[in-house]
Amino acid sequence: MNYTEIPDLYQYFLRCKTVSTDTRKITAETLFVALRGDNFDGNQFAGHALAAGANYAIVSDPEVVLDDRYLLVEDTLVALQALARHHRRQFSIPVLAITGSNGKTTTKELVAGVLAAAHQTHFTQGNFNNHIGVPLTLLAMPTNTEIAVIEMGANHQGEIAALCNIAEPTHGLITNVGRAHLEGFGGEEGVRKGKSELYRDLAKRDGVVFVNLEENYLSDLAAVVARRIDYQLSEQPSLAIPYYELAVESVAPHTKVRFIDQNGTSYAATSILVGKHNLQNINTAITVGKYFKVPAAAIAQAVSDYVPTNNRSEWVERGGIRYWLDAYNANPSSMRAALTTFAELAGDNKRAVLGVMLELGEESEAAHLEIARLAQGLPLTAVYLVGDEFASAAKALHLPHYASGEDLLAAAVTDQWAGSTVLIKGSRGMRLEQLLPAIS
C-alpha cells in the first residue's frame, strides 16, 4: 500500500486552485480532502467530487481508490493539517494569530482591514478558526501575501497549541480572557491556560505579542514572552513610552477615538461600533497597524469604514424599530458587556431580548441568573429571556420567558416595539436573528 507523502501532496496541491472538504462546494481544479466524522465518511464521496470537477481527492480508504487521481494517506485530517503547514513554510512573512474569549472575529476583521490599507493581507474568512478551518485558510493563501491574519478558536485546552503548530505564527494577540466555553476548558483557570497557549508558543518562536493592558490577566500571562508590544488607553497620547496609546473622545452613539503617528501628529477615527469591548477591538487594530507601519491616515480610514456583518454588533433598522443584533455568540463576559453598553445608549425606550449562553457546564444556572438580574437592574423598558437555561432565572425574578424566538413572536410582544431600540443577544444556537425578517 503506497501512501502519498506531504512533499508529493504539495505538488498535486499546486496544480489546483482551491481546497475543499465539502462536495457541495466543488469547482473546477479543486483538491478534495475526504474527512471522516462521527456520522459521515468523506471517502465515500471522493468519486462524486472528482465527477464534479475536482482534480484530485485525498482519501484514507484504499477501497475507494480507482485511479491516480485518488491520493492515499493514512489520515486525511492529519494530511490536511500537514499540507497547510508545508504551504505556510513557503512564506517568510508575518503570520498574526488572534484568539480570545470574546471579540476574535471583529478584531480580526478590523486588523485585516487596517493592514490591507498598506499590505497584501490574507485573513480568515467567516469563522474558519478551528482544526479544519485554520488549515483551509492557510492553503488559500496566495503567493503575493505579505501578511496573514489567522483567527484561532478553541473550547478545550490544547487546541490553541495545536493550531499554532499548524500556522506557526510570528506574531499574536489575545483579545481577552473571559468566561467562555467553561464546560470544555474546565472553568475560568482552564480558559486562561488554554488561551495563553498562544503566548507560550510565541515565546518558543521568539515571536512578538500585542498585549492590551486594559484587559485582565493578559500582562501577567504574557510574562513568558520577551518581545511584546503593550498598548492602552490614555487621556493624552504622546511619543513617550508607551507609544501605543489611544484617546477616547466618545463611545456613544458612535465610538470616536484619537491617536498619534510616529511624528506626534494626531488622527481621529469614528466607528459604528459601540461599547468599551469594541473600543478595545479598535485599539488593537490601530496598534497592530502602527506596528506594521500602515500610514496613520489609512488606519483611521479603515477603522471608520468598518461595518460589522453576520449578526455581530450589527445595527439594523426595520419597521420603525432599531435593532442591535449581536446574536452570533454569547457568554457571561460578552453578555455583560453588551447589556451595560446598551443601557448607556441614548434614548428611553430600550428593550433586550436575551438568548441562552451555551457550554457553561455546571455554572450555567448561576450564570444565567446573574445576567438576568443584571438586565433587570438596568434602565430598560423590558427584558425578554429566551431558552430553557433562562427558565429558572425568569421564574425567580418574574421576568418574561419564552422557550424559543418563535414562541416570543407567537406571544405578539413585538407589537409593542414600535419606536424602540432592541438588543438581540444570545448564542448562535438560538438563531435569534430570525426575529428580524419575521418582524420586518
Side-chain angles (χ1 to χ4, degrees):
M1 189 178 305
N2 294 321
Y3 292 113
T4 308
E5 300 298 329
I6 295 302
D8 296 322
L9 274 184
Y10 191 66
Q11 295 307 308
Y12 289 108
F13 160 77
L14 292 176
R15 300 171 197 168
C16 301
K17 291 182 178 179
T18 60
V19 179
S20 178
T21 62
D22 188 342
T23 54
R24 296 168 297 181
K25 298 179 181 178
I26 298 297
T27 57
E29 300 182 73
T30 293
L31 174 62
F32 174 67
V33 183
L35 297 180
R36 292 180 186 265
D38 293 336
N39 301 309
F40 66 91
D41 181 0
N43 288 288
Q44 302 305 313
F45 300 97
H48 296 287
L50 292 168
N55 281 6
Y56 306 100
I58 299 178
V59 298
S60 57
D61 182 358
E63 297 297 323
V64 305
V65 176
L66 299 178
D67 54 48
D68 58 6
R69 296 177 300 165
Y70 294 80
L71 309 175
L72 185 63
V73 298
E74 290 189 65
D75 186 308
T76 50
L77 177 59
V78 171
L80 173 68
Q81 294 170 341
L83 186 64
R85 181 169 53 245
H86 188 85
H87 183 56
R88 182 264 176 272
R89 288 177 176 174
Q90 311 310 305
F91 296 80
S92 297
I93 62 171
V95 174
L96 171 65
I98 296 178
T99 191
S101 297
N102 301 302
K104 290 186 296 297
T105 299
T106 299
T107 299
K108 175 255 302 184
E109 292 177 353
L110 278 166
V111 166
V114 166
L115 292 175
H119 307 284
Q120 289 291 331
T121 304
H122 178 72
F123 62 99
T124 302
Q125 299 298 302
N127 65 337
F128 269 43
N129 62 13
N130 65 4
H131 62 297
I132 298 171
V134 167
L136 290 174
T137 297
L138 291 168
L139 288 168
M141 192 157 56
T143 56
N144 66 345
T145 301
E146 295 174 336
I147 296 180
V149 181
I150 307 298
E151 181 182 337
M152 296 182 176
N155 55 21
H156 291 82
Q157 291 186 47
E159 288 183 287
I160 296 299
L163 295 177
C164 286
N165 189 47
I166 299 168
E168 297 184 343
T170 60
H171 299 71
L173 66 90
I174 300 173
T175 57
N176 48 58
V177 176
R179 296 165 64 195
H181 304 296
L182 296 177
E183 186 174 22
F185 277 112
E188 293 183 54
E189 180 60 28
V191 175
R192 287 192 285 272
K193 288 181 179 178
K195 297 301 182 182
S196 62
E197 288 166 9
L198 175 58
Y199 286 161
R200 297 196 292 277
D201 181 86
L202 286 164
K204 292 187 296 184
R205 300 181 195 279
D206 193 30
V208 176
V209 298
F210 299 91
V211 182
N212 187 353
L213 299 181
E214 303 293 326
E215 293 287 351
N216 294 331
Y217 312 118
L218 297 187
S219 186
D220 288 343
L221 292 173
V224 297
V225 187
R227 303 171 64 197
R228 54 187 276 182
I229 301 296
D230 293 345
Y231 59 101
Q232 61 186 16
L233 303 179
S234 171
E235 291 185 5
Q236 186 62 49
S238 71
L239 291 175
I241 301 298
Y243 163 57
Y244 298 97
E245 296 177 324
L246 186 75
V248 184
E249 295 183 350
S250 172
V251 292
H254 300 292
T255 300
K256 299 180 181 179
V257 298
R258 181 167 42 84
F259 63 98
I260 61 171
D261 66 7
Q262 67 273 21
N263 299 314
T265 303
S266 182
Y267 290 82
T270 301
S271 173
I272 194 173
L273 297 171
V274 296
K276 185 177 179 181
H277 55 301
N278 278 316
L279 174 64
Q280 303 302 345
N281 299 337
I282 292 167
N283 197 3
T284 298
I286 291 174
T287 297
V288 173
K290 290 167 106 178
Y291 177 86
F292 285 109
K293 297 181 170 51
V294 178
I299 294 175
Q301 190 65 53
V303 169
S304 299
D305 287 346
Y306 174 69
V307 177
T309 58
N310 200 22
N311 306 326
R312 288 182 168 95
S313 292
E314 285 187 79
W315 283 104
V316 181
E317 275 200 47
R318 294 184 183 173
I321 305 170
R322 191 172 185 232
Y323 298 94
W324 186 18
L325 181 59
D326 196 13
Y328 191 86
N329 200 3
N331 57 57
S333 302
S334 66
M335 190 75 86
R336 176 175 289 276
L339 276 168
T340 54
T341 296
F342 184 64
E344 292 169 358
L345 296 179
D348 297 325
N349 194 356
K350 290 178 289 191
R351 303 167 186 269
V353 179
L354 306 180
V356 298
M357 304 170 287
L358 302 177
E359 298 184 50
L360 296 181
E362 62 185 20
E363 296 191 28
S364 181
E365 184 174 351
H368 282 87
L369 178 60
E370 173 190 329
I371 291 301
R373 184 174 285 123
L374 168 66
Q376 187 180 53
L378 293 172
L380 303 176
T381 302
V383 176
Y384 313 91
L385 304 179
V386 182
D388 293 343
E389 288 84 345
F390 265 129
S392 62
K395 183 177 181 179
L397 301 175
H398 306 291
L399 288 171
H401 176 259
Y402 306 89
S404 66
E406 289 84 355
D407 288 347
L408 187 151
L409 286 172
V413 297
T414 59
D415 295 346
Q416 309 164 17
W417 289 5
S420 297
T421 302
V422 181
L423 167 66
I424 299 180
K425 175 72 177 173
S427 287
R428 184 70 189 89
M430 296 302 296
R431 301 189 302 160
L432 292 180
E433 72 280 358
Q434 292 186 341
L435 292 174
L436 270 70
I439 293 168
S440 60

